[in-house]
Amino acid sequence: MHEMSIAQSIMDIVQQEMARHQVSRVSVIRLVVGEFTAVVPDSLTFCLELITKDTPLEGVQVELEEVPLTGRCKACGQEFPIVEYRFVCPECQSGEVETVGGKELYIKEIEAE
Ligand SMILES: [Zn+2]
């Protein structure tokens, strides 16, 4: 499962951070997840619950911030939300579109107790 390996690497990072800051309890983990990462938020939350069970991180609150897929037209500079993977500029109909949002997947914040 895609989400399980992501959950695992998130936990690795959280544990590294905890060790680095000498923190033994974490109350909230805030994640930023782009729409284009193909991560299902509910599934990721579920996997995080699974792998934190019986660890010091059990019961940690996970908050997900979803970033919609956003494109920028290379021809006219217009930024717009990409709906149904239509990579076409609504202003000038150009197909030269780069993705500027929606591919993110990172830990925004870890809140220690
Ligand atoms: Zn355009």
Side-chain angles (χ1 to χ4, degrees):
M1 199 181 350
H2 182 54
E3 280 80 7
M4 190 48 106
S5 57
I6 293 168
Q8 192 60 61
S9 43
I10 288 169
M11 277 308 136
D12 288 347
I13 295 167
V14 170
Q15 275 158 0
Q16 279 167 22
E17 287 298 304
M18 285 169 76
R20 196 148 66 97
H21 299 283
Q22 296 174 336
V23 168
S24 58
R25 291 279 301 159
V26 164
S27 52
V28 185
I29 300 171
R30 290 197 179 88
L31 303 173
V32 175
V33 180
E35 190 187 346
F36 204 48
T37 55
V39 168
V40 181
D42 284 352
S43 177
L44 182 59
T45 312
F46 175 73
C47 290
L48 285 167
E49 270 174 32
L50 267 187
I51 59 170
T52 52
K53 203 170 175 359
D54 299 322
T55 75
L57 285 166
E58 182 171 357
V60 67
Q61 199 187 328
V62 179
E63 290 180 7
L64 263 74
E65 195 179 300
E66 290 177 71
V67 181
L69 190 54
T70 307
R72 186 197 289 132
C73 175
K74 285 184 185 174
C76 73
Q78 179 81 14
E79 282 194 19
F80 55 93
I82 295 170
V83 182
E84 287 167 4
Y85 301 103
R86 252 180 68 89
F87 288 86
V88 176
C89 175
E91 278 298 304
C92 69
Q93 316 304 323
S94 166
E96 296 279 305
V97 174
E98 59 179 341
T99 312
V100 291
K103 287 178 173 173
E104 304 82 348
L105 181 56
Y106 60 88
I107 300 169
K108 189 184 180 188
E109 212 171 21
I110 301 168
E111 218 173 271
E113 271 181 3

